[in-house]
Amino acid sequence: MPREHKLQIIPLGGLGEIGKNMTVIRYDNQMLLVDAGLAFPEDEMLGIDIVIPDYSYVIENKESLLGILVTHGHEDHIGALPYLLRDLDVPIFATRLTLGLIQSKLKESNLNNIKATVVQPRDVVKLGVFRVEFIRVNHSIPDAVGLAVHTPLGTVIHTGDFKLDHTPVSGETLDIHKFAELGDKGVLCLMSDSTNVERPGFTMSESRVGQTFDEAFRNAKERIILASFASNVHRIQQAITAAYKTNRKVAVVGRSMVNVVTIANELGYLDIPEDTLVDIEEVLSLPGSRACILTTGSQGEPMSALTRMAMNDHRRVEIQPGDTVIISANPIPGNEKSVARTIDHLFKQGAYVIYEAISGMHVSGHGSQEELKLMLNMTRPRYFIPVHGEYRMLIKHAELAEQLGMARENIFVAENGSIVEFTRSGASLGGKVTAGKVLIDGLGVGDVGNIVLRDRKQLSQDGILIVVMTLSRSTGAILAGPDVVTRGFVYVRESESMLEEAKEKVRQTMLRCRENKITEWAILKSQVRDALSRHFYEKTRRRPMILPIIQEIE
Amino acid sequence: MPREHKLQIIPLGGLGEIGKNMTVIRYDNQMLLVDAGLAFPEDEMLGIDIVIPDYSYVIENKESLLGILVTHGHEDHIGALPYLLRDLDVPIFATRLTLGLIQSKLKESNLNNIKATVVQPRDVVKLGVFRVEFIRVNHSIPDAVGLAVHTPLGTVIHTGDFKLDHTPVSGETLDIHKFAELGDKGVLCLMSDSTNVERPGFTMSESRVGQTFDEAFRNAKERIILASFASNVHRIQQAITAAYKTNRKVAVVGRSMVNVVTIANELGYLDIPEDTLVDIEEVLSLPGSRACILTTGSQGEPMSALTRMAMNDHRRVEIQPGDTVIISANPIPGNEKSVARTIDHLFKQGAYVIYEAISGMHVSGHGSQEELKLMLNMTRPRYFIPVHGEYRMLIKHAELAEQLGMARENIFVAENGSIVEFTRSGASLGGKVTAGKVLIDGLGVGDVGNIVLRDRKQLSQDGILIVVMTLSRSTGAILAGPDVVTRGFVYVRESESMLEEAKEKVRQTMLRCRENKITEWAILKSQVRDALSRHFYEKTRRRPMILPIIQEIE
């Protein structure tokens, strides 16, 4: 009997989390990769800059990899490419704006010679045994696509991130007809975006925000300062349109927004009326009623332009009483407090701030329950894998599919590294490949792990106390020290007596060790550590890291 | 001309923030204090346990202080008392449950002999020149009151935290009649709760949650595990009632909830049907359909009972597939991610989790816009000070008052430490007293300040690297070392060559210093620090704290 053909779907990131999306689609020995994103560090990942998927499985199987398909240009879908492409030489397929953003990103990492193919929605690309169709979806960035991957065992649909916008800013709606046609012909498996599965109803149209902008821009007597995600090109378009309608000139401030506006404009994704986009100097010289500034910082990021303005620390722009600041974004979970703080500071500077809690200045880019149901019913898949969401969202999305009549055993709530395997006879969830987080800190890729993080945690809570002694190699007597140095523990000036007592404890401990003929450094150090740990806990109820260092001379 | 009498209102906490509420009301040389609360540390206050107001003004004026009036038993209103009462001997006035909670708290701090007076709503207490009336309000803890402080210059109303609940669990509604009567007679100044000023409409009644409980308890086939704030006695009552109706026995798990249930039960604030409240062993021995566990951890706090259950790390309770977990609380800003993580883990353990994003298991204890308007219109104050809120909330509350026809110049958006001063001729905002944050870390009160926090921040980001050398006092030559020790920076095993190079850099730097006759330690250390800082930044793009330590012997 010949070996049975196998189709495998292996998520390497994006399941049980929001971020670092990456999925392998494999048929026997041929493999595609969908997206390669980053995630932002969790609170306890102290000092970490970004997190990427552990893609060792991809590297180990790189001979099988035929291409990387990228659904859209958000960081959680493209952010791992600069790392992945150092280790791989493989073609990328993406739409024009997505590729523009990827290339700008790779250039920063000195990766200039990648193989890239621009695709358009409805294009079909043949890669080995696979036929890949790109399908337009709506999202909070233009040029987003879902994928239909036709394999000998059937068609796999990956929605990418999507919503259904009946009145999109670009005029281009999610390709209902293609999804319906695929559903008609038969879909083996659907992978669908779970981000907003907790929200009932439909997600509002992006153009709704444009109407709110128009009104706010008309009402503002002085300058408008509008903060949004840099990549939300449609949002930027709507702000520019609202500015033009109210006779305002627009300047863009903030590195990432300047970058995106430049790329989007060059590639024709922005329609900017002549003389409307000017430099910041010109906008600053205009009367307030004619000025609009687009900027970054909608998440209250400490270094962003808006946060600097709020803290009165921006190089060029000073908030003036009467300015209207529009925050056109929702706080991403975890950013609520920094956003609130930025808003407070803006109010203190005298600005009038319009923010999400009290207005309609933002809509999500992800579909709510009704759109998710529509996707399931349009594509009528035999099997379903909810993707792009934390664990509870995957569960809720699975429940949604069950409500529409799918059999529970045909729904796979998988994890990163899970193998969902399809054969002629059926499908099953089983087996695992390596998957996980790789932490990036500065230039270090994966060199910060649990021990380093645990140390950073302890250091961050109660600081460190270092005890240094020089001992005589022959007698074991203390020749210099003990000296005590602390950082992040207590104010030294106010704790002199406690630190003096600590030195005395060290001397006593060393003396006792000498009397007991203990000479091994590891034991000496551990006795000193224990004695000091007790001492400081009694005095302060704190547990600084205690680090005895011994040097020895003749 | 005799000196003009002055009434001063001086907020020492709770303005421009949520937390650490404390307000001084002063008439000439007689002074009352309203509340003495704590706040939880901001993210950047690494290692800090709690934050209390800087109350040096109260201490400096303690001869004038006639009493402390406490509006209700939440930590942000009573949490600073154990610190304040170490320095003060002054009577406390509070309702019965509030005082019960205060006394339990003070007992933990070995403060047993405080002067306390139990008051009831509508009681009037005479303190010096002041007459203080206690007025029932609704809130998420029983026995909450607002205050009317009658002074020779007029009546000051402090609402405390409030909502208006027409169908309260206890049957006792906010004392509309008293507030209206006061408004009728004339109110000089209103201080009113701004927490929910961003929410339109009315806050729902607490009893709405009871209906939702009843339904969820009926539908659950197996155990119910319900997490809520320990202090929300009405919520606990409703859970117990729902359990009783569905023939379930109830056990309470989690130190703070056991504590509150004990106190509330002893004081008669809970109505528990006989044999309903049992110990956890008994509940664990029952069939799931007859079991209910009330517990803490609704905020995803790492050490709480529910979080431990979610992580499969609780001493007694193990989550079983089929358990229904109800999270009857909203995440407090800043806790969103830890709550979401707890929910995810509970789902992974097989529990069915009902949480806020998708159900009505919680209502707020603070009034929304319509209730705030009602309070303003009932009391018709001449002057208004929005309190209990972040800066933007105070601004919004001020705008709300303006919409109701108050003159802008009669509304004072104050800060902690501001003096709002009233005389016969008018009122003004002017002058400041000391106010601010005192950080508590272990036993240390205020001994952790900016330098220590800055060090903790740096340590948390990139760790520390310590260089130790013993020098000859006579020649300056290195007798031992340089030795390099790092924590929280890199994995030592993978970075040996970089650390060896670092030692070589130190040797070269020391040699160069010797050649240039530099012997001063401060300069030696700073040269070593600079050389290593450059070295490591080039290699890693990280900036660990670098700490050179020099010892010297003959």
Side-chain angles (χ1 to χ4, degrees), chain A residues 135-202:
Chain A
I135 312 168
R136 180 182 318 287
V137 296
N138 296 120
H139 190 40
S140 47
I141 187 169
D143 249 11
V145 291
L147 305 168
V149 178
H150 302 285
T151 80
L153 282 172
T155 299
V156 172
I157 292 183
H158 191 304
T159 63
D161 295 8
F162 81 99
K163 70 190 275 189
L164 171 56
D165 194 333
H166 289 294
T167 53
V169 174
S170 66
E172 295 164 323
T173 297
L174 174 137
D175 193 343
I176 302 171
H177 304 91
K178 175 55 76 179
F179 282 112
E181 178 198 320
L182 290 165
D184 232 27
K185 290 187 183 157
V187 170
L188 178 67
C189 180
L190 171 70
M191 283 176 270
S192 179
D193 175 3
S194 311
T195 313
N196 272 350
V197 68
E198 294 173 315
R199 298 198 194 168
F202 253 91

Side-chain angles (χ1 to χ4, degrees), chain A residues 44 46-47 198 341 344 355 390-392 441 443 447 456 460-461 468 470 483 488 540 542 551 553, chain B residues 44 46-47 198 341 344 355 358 391-392 441 443 447 456 460-461 468 470 483 488 540 542 551 553:
Chain A
E44 69 274 14
L46 295 168
E198 294 173 315
R341 197 184 317 192
D344 272 16
Y355 54 100
E390 298 184 12
Y391 189 77
R392 66 186 182 284
D441 182 4
L443 297 181
D447 67 338
R456 287 183 185 174
S460 77
Q461 293 302 299
V468 188
T470 304
D483 290 325
T540 66
R542 300 180 201 165
Q551 292 197 316
I553 58 175
Chain B
E44 70 274 12
L46 295 168
E198 294 172 317
R341 197 183 320 192
D344 272 17
Y355 54 100
I358 52 165
Y391 189 76
R392 65 187 182 287
D441 182 3
L443 296 180
D447 68 338
R456 287 183 184 174
S460 77
Q461 292 300 298
V468 187
T470 304
D483 290 326
T540 66
R542 299 181 202 166
Q551 293 197 314
I553 59 174

Side-chain angles (χ1 to χ4, degrees), chain A residues 197 368-370 372-373 376 384 395-406 411:
Chain A
V197 68
S368 303
Q369 284 172 7
E370 294 306 316
L372 302 182
K373 289 184 200 165
L376 281 156
F384 174 49
I395 293 280
K396 294 278 161 203
H397 205 171
E399 287 173 5
L400 209 65
E402 273 193 77
Q403 285 166 24
L404 301 186
M406 275 198 84
I411 304 170

